[in-house]
Amino acid sequence: MSSILALKAVSKTFSDFWLRPTVKAVDALDLEVRKGEVFALLGPNGSGKSTTIKMILGLIEPTAGEISLFGMKPSCIEARRRLGYLPELSYLHPFLTARETLSYYAGLCSLDRKTASSRIDELLEMTDLAAAASRPVGTFSKGMARRVALASALIGKPEFLILDEPTSGLDPVSTDEVKTLVKTLAADGMTILMTSHLLADAGDVSNRVMILDHGRCAAEGDVAGIKGSLEEYFLSKISQRREFKVAPFLTGGAA
Amino acid sequence: MRPLLEIARLELRRLWRSRAVLALLGLSLAWMFATPHVLKSDGTPDGARELYVHFSLGGAFALTLIALASSAASSLSRERDEKRLQLTLVRPVRFFAVALARTIALVAVGAANLAVCAVVLAFSADTAIRCSRVVSPVMISPRAEAELMYDEFMKDPETPPEVKKTKKSVVLRLLTQKAVDNYQSIAPGETVSWDFGEVPGADSSRLAVRLRFTNDFDMREEVRGTFVYGGLSGVVSNITQAVVKVPLVRNGEEESPGAPAPRLSFTNAGETSLMLRPRRDINILVEEDSFAANLVRAYLELVSIMALVIAFAMLLGAGLGRSVAVFTCISFIFASVVSGDIIEQYPDQLETDRIDSIGLAITRAVQFVSRPVASLRPLAALSSDEMVEGGETAQVFALDFLLVPLVASLLCGAVMTRKKQ
């Protein structure tokens, strides 16, 4: 299978105003996503998942290393044309209706009006939003907003879809719907990179998994193959969990 | 092209649905209709028109400029803070197009708002007048005159020693300022003349001489005498108005064809000497165009100035946080307006200390880069019935409306590439 995305020894160090390094979010990361597979980046909060995604999207530049997206730099327009992205939160324009939101992103993808119109209808149907298409998205529930965001990511018919915590904040039914959708898209040949901190989500839909910890690869492989490593990793994390010391005034102690 | 239009449309929808457009239009119209009732002119149609142009249209323009500059400064920074910008930037769109499209949308709103105000002005004021091209006497430039004066000034024993130690460039700047304000004294019964070169349209248009005695102290002079310009002449007898227009009419003398351009002469028939600054106070007015045509040219220049400020504000918003960008933008507009007055208050840099000198240098730099905003030349010309020159309008339009927003948008693109999303 040919490679869609390749990261070679990619690092990202954030600096303060005086350019003094503050946090090393990603540390010498190697990653490859092959055509047609569903690849999951797993890790706890602060493990570097979102930073990695932003570098892949060309929103931030890596401090070191190389990123190749469709054999091009992520900032290349042609690479972005073949990409779809669902962020961790929906970030929709609240004053636009669902249809206008999709029409806006169709315009950004330079789709002609006829193609855009038919694709918008299909996506509204697919995400069960046809009845609410003329309502401002600012009035939508979180689940509905998430579906609009997902439809926006798919409007340009991308070859490669990046889903940043796609089930974040969704109820079990909506989570299951998203997983089913991911499986359907994968079955149609779409390459998908998703991030999650839930092993269950990633395990259900992905072919391969990488666990990130402090910006480094802790384990990588197919779900069945590294299940032992995964359990060991999460058990070790549980054993290292933080113990919060409850402030005395909350329990009636001295202030 | 499609992405550009979509982003511009999104910005327009945001402004419309947040009712910002309606609020701006309502405030502008309220200002346009209220000012003539609040402020009183001198009762003449000219005075009423000056009030309308200067305060009503000028105020509506200032309101529009500040509102849209604030909106431009917060446009990109707000989207970045709310993380919506990243959803646009991951699409196949060039970063500079994102800034350019927003600039276009804001300029369109400003242009529409100002157009409504201009139409109100055209129907409210007495606009059945013709505007005139202003011709000044042909004289050597103040700078050249300053250079001629320099050696003599430095050798003069009355020149203070600390001045003689000052850098030549500083002394030349002061002498240039003095040259602009050089007074000419015309004794009773004396006749003086000034060369105006070839006055375009002198044969076919109606001519007038304008004497303007307005200065910082609004001083008015008694002036009595006769102007003669070739076969035209005009008599002036005035002690009340600060600006005097003297129509020139045929005096029966025939001009020989092919003769060199005549000089404008003035014979002082008053009882006291007349003091005037030839570079500032005397002009020949050549009647050229209707008020409506002049208003259209002034409108185009004002919209161009607006585009310049919006593009600058957009650039600030691309690189800075929302509140810092808005504050910087408003401060810059304020500084550009007051910088001229500050420099006027300190005309002689030699009298100031080092800190003042640094402050003045910064103020001069601000004044230099913000000249179009600070001078508001089209409003000044329109209110005094002067021609807004077509060539000047084309130049301002090409530079401020087309080139600067394009360059600023390219810079925005570069800044957004570097800025963490």
Side-chain angles (χ1 to χ4, degrees):
Chain A
M1 280 195 290
S2 63
S3 168
I4 296 276
L5 171 73
L7 275 71
K8 286 181 189 158
V10 169
S11 298
K12 179 67 190 178
T13 305
F14 290 108
S15 308
D16 64 9
F17 181 81
W18 305 107
L19 303 180
R20 291 174 301 197
T22 49
V23 181
K24 191 155 198 174
V26 178
D27 190 6
L29 185 68
D30 291 309
L31 185 156
E32 187 186 24
V33 179
R34 294 186 281 264
K35 190 174 168 59
E37 75 174 345
V38 179
F39 189 97
L41 269 180
L42 271 175
N45 294 336
S47 60
K49 302 187 297 293
S50 290
T51 304
T52 305
I53 294 290
K54 283 181 180 176
M55 287 192 288
I56 293 167
L57 292 166
L59 292 172
I60 52 175
E61 290 286 318
T63 315
E66 275 181 27
I67 301 175
S68 164
L69 184 62
F70 296 106
M72 295 170 264
K73 281 190 168 186
S75 57
C76 184
I77 291 260
E78 198 45 49
R80 279 188 271 152
R81 201 181 298 283
R82 298 158 74 178
L83 190 75
Y85 169 54
L86 174 75
E88 187 179 352
L89 296 173
S90 300
Y91 307 131
L92 300 169
H93 296 280
F95 54 88
L96 293 182
T97 66
R99 184 176 290 281
E100 284 168 349
T101 302
L102 296 183
S103 174
Y104 170 66
Y105 288 111
L108 294 190
C109 295
S110 299
L111 297 184
D112 63 76
R113 291 191 189 283
K114 201 176 163 191
T115 311
S117 180
S118 66
R119 236 179 245 186
I120 289 167
D121 288 337
E122 282 175 32
L123 285 168
L124 286 171
E125 203 63 45
M126 184 189 93
T127 50
D128 197 20
L129 286 167
S134 301
R135 263 175 56 194
V137 294
T139 64
F140 280 12
S141 67
K142 195 169 184 180
M144 287 169 85
R146 202 86 187 118
R147 280 182 274 155
V148 177
L150 185 60
S152 309
L154 294 169
I155 191 82
K157 209 175 177 185
E159 294 170 43
F160 181 37
L161 184 64
I162 297 178
L163 307 172
D164 194 0
E165 312 220 1
T167 56
S168 166
L170 296 184
D171 60 46
V173 176
S174 303
T175 300
D176 193 55
E177 283 170 357
V178 170
K179 283 188 202 171
T180 308
L181 182 67
V182 170
K183 283 179 195 166
T184 310
L185 293 171
D188 286 349
M190 192 177 284
T191 310
I192 296 170
L193 168 66
M194 62 179 280
T195 70
S196 179
H197 50 256
L198 296 173
L199 177 61
D201 285 354
D204 285 353
V205 294
S206 55
N207 310 110
R208 283 200 303 140
V209 175
M210 175 184 277
I211 301 172
L212 277 183
D213 189 19
H214 292 99
R216 289 166 178 262
C217 171
E220 186 190 359
D222 59 77
V223 178
I226 66 161
K227 200 163 184 189
S229 310
L230 285 171
E231 281 166 4
E232 195 178 308
Y233 171 79
F234 281 104
L235 281 172
S236 74
K237 281 284 148 190
I238 288 165
S239 67
Q240 293 165 13
R241 74 185 187 275
R242 290 179 289 263
E243 292 290 348
F244 289 104
K245 194 174 174 185
V246 178
F249 78 93
L250 292 172
T251 52
Chain B
M1 195 65 183
R2 178 92 199 275
L4 193 83
L5 293 176
E6 281 297 333
I7 298 167
R9 194 160 72 148
L10 178 80
E11 188 71 3
L12 287 173
R13 275 181 170 149
R14 183 180 71 79
L15 291 167
W16 179 256
R17 291 182 184 173
S18 65
R19 296 181 179 83
V21 175
L22 286 178
L24 180 62
L25 184 64
L27 279 173
S28 303
L29 287 177
W31 179 266
M32 288 293 293
F33 287 117
T35 37
H37 298 289
V38 176
L39 304 170
K40 293 294 170 200
S41 72
D42 60 3
T44 63
D46 285 358
R49 190 172 51 252
E50 186 174 352
L51 185 143
Y52 264 116
V53 172
H54 211 83
F55 292 100
S56 303
L57 186 63
F61 173 73
L63 189 71
T64 311
L65 188 73
I66 290 171
L68 293 180
S70 310
S71 191
S74 63
S75 179
L76 287 172
S77 47
R78 185 192 53 244
E79 292 263 302
R80 189 177 49 240
D81 292 349
E82 293 170 358
K83 313 253 182 195
R84 289 197 187 97
L85 190 59
Q86 63 180 6
L87 283 182
T88 299
L89 298 182
V90 299
R91 305 285 165 165
V93 181
R94 296 194 189 282
F95 287 9
F96 88 90
V98 178
L100 185 62
R102 285 160 189 265
T103 304
I104 289 169
L106 287 165
V107 172
V109 169
N113 195 60
L114 203 60
V116 173
C117 295
V119 169
V120 171
L121 170 79
F123 282 102
S124 308
D126 172 23
T127 53
I129 52 123
R130 297 192 73 78
C131 299
S132 303
R133 171 166 290 133
V134 180
V135 185
S136 298
V138 179
M139 302 176 78
I140 62 166
S141 71
R143 177 74 183 186
E145 192 173 317
E147 281 174 0
L148 288 173
M149 288 161 60
Y150 179 78
D151 288 336
E152 198 181 324
F153 180 72
M154 297 305 268
K155 282 178 197 159
D156 190 336
E158 288 190 12
T159 303
E162 59 269 29
V163 174
K164 291 184 178 177
K165 286 181 203 161
T166 310
K167 277 197 299 184
K168 187 178 179 180
S169 61
V170 175
V171 177
L172 278 176
R173 189 162 62 220
L174 296 171
L175 291 175
T176 303
Q177 187 60 38
K178 282 186 169 51
V180 173
D181 288 329
N182 266 352
Y183 275 91
Q184 182 174 6
S185 175
I186 308 165
E190 188 185 358
T191 299
V192 295
S193 68
W194 303 277
D195 178 19
F196 280 79
E198 289 290 340
V199 176
D203 301 333
S204 53
S205 304
R206 293 206 311 200
L207 301 189
V209 175
R210 184 178 69 185
L211 281 170
R212 188 165 49 183
F213 297 111
T214 44
N215 56 24
D216 293 344
F217 310 104
D218 199 20
M219 198 167 69
R220 294 170 185 197
E221 292 265 352
E222 178 183 349
V223 50
R224 292 177 205 280
T226 309
F227 287 101
V228 178
Y229 182 71
L232 303 170
S233 62
V235 177
V236 56
S237 176
N238 188 288
I239 54 168
T240 55
Q241 288 173 291
V243 180
V244 184
K245 283 182 190 168
V246 187
L248 296 177
V249 293
R250 290 258 156 238
N251 56 17
E253 287 181 24
E254 285 300 315
E255 285 178 74
S256 53
R263 291 171 72 88
L264 175 72
S265 69
F266 174 71
T267 304
N268 184 3
E271 291 172 0
T272 55
S273 290
L274 179 67
M275 301 281 286
L276 56 81
R277 298 165 297 181
R279 282 195 175 89
R280 284 185 185 240
D281 296 343
I282 185 156
N283 303 103
I284 290 179
L285 304 181
V286 185
E287 206 172 84
E288 284 276 343
D289 218 343
S290 68
F291 182 84
N294 215 30
L295 180 60
V296 169
R297 285 190 293 269
Y299 167 77
L300 286 175
E301 285 196 27
L302 290 175
V303 170
S304 302
I305 292 169
M306 205 183 285
L308 173 90
V309 174
I310 288 171
F312 172 71
M314 192 68 72
L315 181 57
L316 288 176
L320 300 171
R322 188 179 172 187
S323 49
V324 179
V326 173
F327 177 77
T328 309
C329 182
I330 300 297
S331 303
F332 192 82
I333 292 174
F334 180 72
S336 71
V337 172
V338 299
S339 59
D341 286 341
I342 292 171
I343 291 167
E344 286 275 319
Q345 295 296 314
Y346 291 90
D348 193 341
Q349 197 181 8
L350 301 172
E351 292 176 5
T352 63
D353 63 19
R354 193 166 186 78
I355 297 294
D356 281 354
S357 303
I358 294 168
L360 272 172
I362 294 170
T363 312
R364 277 205 183 86
V366 170
Q367 192 194 31
F368 179 76
V369 296
S370 63
R371 277 189 325 265
V373 186
S375 70
L376 284 185
R377 158 93 186 116
L379 276 179
L382 199 62
S383 65
S384 53
D385 305 335
E386 291 179 13
M387 272 274 287
V388 178
E389 298 286 344
E392 182 191 298
T393 305
Q395 195 182 347
V396 170
F397 189 80
L399 188 69
D400 295 349
F401 189 86
L402 299 176
L403 187 64
V404 172
L406 195 63
V407 172
S409 299
L410 287 169
L411 287 172
C412 279
V415 170
M416 281 195 279
T417 310
R418 311 277 316 164
K419 186 91 179 164
K420 187 177 75 177
Q421 299 298 328

